[in-house]
Amino acid sequence: MADNSRNMIQILLYSTLALVVPMVLFPELLGTELLRPSLINLFFEITFYGGVLWFFNREWPMVQLAGAVGLCAIYRLILGAIFGLLISGLHLLDLRVSIQLGMSSYLPAILLHGLSAPFILMSLLRHSYARPQRRMMPQTGTSPQMGAVIHAVAYGSAHATPRTPEVASVRTESQAVSHESAMPFVGHGLNGFDRATRYIGELNAVTLAAVVDHEGLLMSHFVRGGVDAEMAAPYAIQFMESNKRILERGAWGSPDRLDMTMKDWRVVICREQSIALMVIAERHGDDLLAIRVNQGLELIRKYYAERYSQKPAVNPERSYVPST
Amino acid sequence: MYQVLDELNKTSGVTGSMVVGNDGIVIASDLSATFDQETVGALAASITSNISKSLNRLQSSNLRQVTIEAENGKMFFTDAGLGILVVTAEKECNIGLVRLEIKNAIGRLRTGI
């Protein structure tokens, strides 16, 4: 959208320049000799457009090239008509004569308009031709999830084997780095764990947000900076398990949440069913961390209950659509 | 030291507090009768030692405070210089307020008031 408006502004600016220059400068500098309209001129003009557009965009197919040439010709004629209208007002000429001058008879203006037309429209044409190709990319290319698995296998990651198809999508660090760039697309093709970790990771203070299963393996993670998520993940379970034994001896029950504060860092580990959420953040980074962690945990809780619930899936639509 | 612990215990939600040496020996205690101070002391030393070891493996050290939310309440373990300040609290306590009071208490313990 922003590209389109930028292109349109650019075209308007150059078109104004192309209109004003022949109107003000050329009659004085080059005289007002007339050129008779002819089909040969039109042929040369179209050939020129075709040549220029083909030279700069060789990847365009013939149909697109022909369309672009047609667009340039129409643009040049419209520019000529506007130019005619303007000179009819400026030099008090008959409207019909002035439009004929602008469109086909006044050589300096026609040359300037003709020479500049393909260059003025180039960015717009490229943008409009590129857009449909971009839309097609997800259909023709490898999906991001599959790409992550391929990357993991190619680089020998021990965690390439998918536990579930959704979990497999988040098992490489390379993709975790791309989480940041893919932030605007939150919700598209992500599972609940991904959404939770990304949501927590939106805080700048967070360097790691990871969902870890009961075996200490990563299910989903968000990484910022050089934290090794694979290495940190087992400790989420270890912290919980080792302290659980001690706390149970003291009749405190099993721990639900562990919050460790160090000189510069803060580590929060929360337990939900058989999985754990581990968040590593800068200590003084953000006061909203606790809120984000709670909300992230709520996302995980809901997703876990929905996806891995022990309840038999009988008429699941009833839980979403109230009875009428 | 007992005065500091006594004031700390007046905080809403706090059920008891004590200072334990890094080896688990109780230095000063003002816990409620429901807890055995020796057990809590050993538990605190064990937990902080466990966590410190794990953090060392993660190349992190300088553990300042650990908060554990368990089924039956919350526990705060804070490095107090001479040992660990242990604070036990109710499950629904105001964590922010308790931490603030702990911070004040630590300051006073360090300065020896």
Side-chain angles (χ1 to χ4, degrees):
Chain A
M1 199 67 177
D3 284 352
N4 257 345
S5 56
R6 199 175 58 219
N7 283 333
M8 291 311 292
I9 290 167
Q10 200 177 332
I11 288 170
L12 273 174
L13 278 173
Y14 286 130
S15 302
T16 311
L17 200 70
L19 287 170
V20 170
V21 168
M23 202 164 62
V24 178
L25 294 178
F26 286 180
E28 287 179 14
L29 293 174
L30 305 168
T32 52
E33 284 181 21
L34 302 184
L35 174 83
R36 289 173 66 95
S38 76
L39 284 174
I40 297 171
N41 291 341
L42 189 67
F43 173 76
F44 281 132
E45 192 178 332
I46 285 171
T47 311
F48 171 73
Y49 294 152
V52 169
L53 291 170
W54 175 80
F55 184 79
F56 288 105
N57 306 284
R58 294 181 193 193
E59 72 280 3
W60 285 0
M62 280 306 290
V63 181
Q64 280 187 0
L65 199 65
V69 168
L71 205 68
C72 284
I74 291 166
Y75 169 76
R76 212 278 296 157
L77 288 173
I78 291 170
L79 211 59
I82 295 168
F83 177 71
L85 281 173
L86 289 173
I87 56 169
S88 77
L90 195 72
H91 298 284
L92 300 171
L93 292 169
D94 178 57
L95 189 66
R96 195 177 153 203
V97 173
S98 62
I99 287 178
Q100 191 190 347
L101 270 172
M103 288 175 76
S104 60
S105 300
Y106 185 56
L107 183 62
I110 293 166
L111 268 177
L112 180 75
H113 294 164
L115 288 173
S116 59
F119 296 102
I120 290 173
L121 294 181
M122 190 85 79
S123 59
L124 181 74
L125 290 167
R126 279 179 178 166
H127 184 72
S128 58
Y129 286 154
R131 214 166 28 188
Q133 288 169 0
R134 252 183 276 160
R135 281 197 199 114
M136 281 163 65
M137 270 167 66
Q139 294 163 8
T140 54
T142 313
S143 72
Q145 291 185 356
M146 192 57 82
V149 174
I150 289 167
H151 180 276
V153 171
Y155 289 90
S157 168
H159 302 282
T161 311
R163 301 171 71 77
T164 67
E166 290 147 338
V167 171
S169 66
V170 288
R171 292 243 167 170
T172 58
E173 191 173 344
S174 63
Q175 203 188 4
V177 173
S178 71
H179 279 185
E180 285 176 49
S181 58
M183 205 64 89
F185 303 104
V186 166
H188 178 74
L190 301 174
N191 63 36
F193 300 142
D194 296 335
R195 280 196 294 273
T197 51
R198 285 189 190 196
Y199 177 70
I200 295 166
E202 279 174 18
L203 282 182
N204 284 333
V206 173
T207 52
L208 170 74
V211 178
V212 184
D213 72 1
H214 65 286
E215 290 172 319
L217 297 173
L218 273 177
M219 296 177 83
S220 173
H221 68 282
F222 175 93
V223 169
R224 181 180 285 120
V227 178
D228 188 349
E230 306 274 350
M231 203 188 90
Y235 287 98
I237 300 299
Q238 205 217 332
F239 279 126
M240 281 296 191
E241 288 301 320
S242 60
N243 292 319
K244 185 184 171 184
R245 282 194 290 274
I246 300 166
L247 286 168
E248 278 174 348
R249 254 182 258 162
W252 283 88
S254 59
D256 299 324
R257 188 188 182 109
L258 200 61
D259 191 335
M260 292 163 281
T261 309
M262 280 146 279
K263 190 184 173 191
D264 300 316
W265 297 97
R266 190 172 163 193
V267 181
V268 181
I269 300 167
C270 305
R271 193 84 190 242
E272 177 58 38
Q273 307 279 342
S274 60
I275 56 173
L277 170 69
M278 184 186 205
V279 179
I280 299 177
E282 288 165 19
R283 187 184 163 196
H284 301 290
D286 214 311
D287 297 333
L288 297 172
L289 181 68
I291 297 168
R292 285 265 169 177
V293 169
N294 283 342
Q295 288 173 337
L297 198 64
E298 190 59 35
L299 284 174
I300 290 169
R301 194 173 289 137
K302 278 183 184 166
Y303 180 71
Y304 189 90
E306 194 177 290
R307 182 76 174 79
Y308 301 104
S309 174
Q310 298 295 321
K311 284 188 292 183
V314 179
N315 294 335
E317 68 276 8
R318 285 193 181 173
S319 59
Y320 294 99
V321 184
S323 57
T324 51
Chain B
M1 192 176 284
Y2 281 98
Q3 193 187 343
V4 175
L5 296 181
D6 186 46
E7 283 186 19
L8 193 55
N9 288 353
K10 287 176 187 165
T11 311
S12 170
V14 172
T15 54
S17 57
M18 67 192 297
V19 180
V20 187
N22 291 321
D23 50 3
I25 293 171
V26 177
I27 298 172
S29 171
D30 193 358
L31 283 178
S32 67
T34 50
F35 300 114
D36 175 37
Q37 61 180 33
E38 299 294 333
T39 311
V40 176
L43 187 142
S46 181
I47 285 174
T48 48
S49 163
N50 256 338
I51 289 173
S52 293
K53 274 181 201 163
S54 298
L55 288 173
N56 281 340
R57 269 180 243 149
L58 276 170
Q59 279 92 45
S60 278
S61 54
N62 294 321
L63 183 66
R64 297 281 171 91
Q65 190 174 55
V66 179
T67 307
I68 296 178
E69 293 178 29
E71 279 174 7
N72 301 326
K74 290 189 173 81
M75 297 180 91
F76 301 82
F77 307 103
T78 314
D79 178 26
L82 70 166
I84 306 157
L85 173 64
V86 182
V87 177
T88 58
E90 291 165 0
K91 197 170 165 61
E92 302 302 325
C93 72
N94 182 340
I95 295 178
L97 183 67
V98 175
R99 279 192 182 161
L100 191 68
E101 291 301 327
I102 288 172
K103 195 177 169 187
N104 292 336
I106 291 287
R108 294 175 69 190
L109 285 173
R110 281 183 195 272
T111 51
I113 297 168

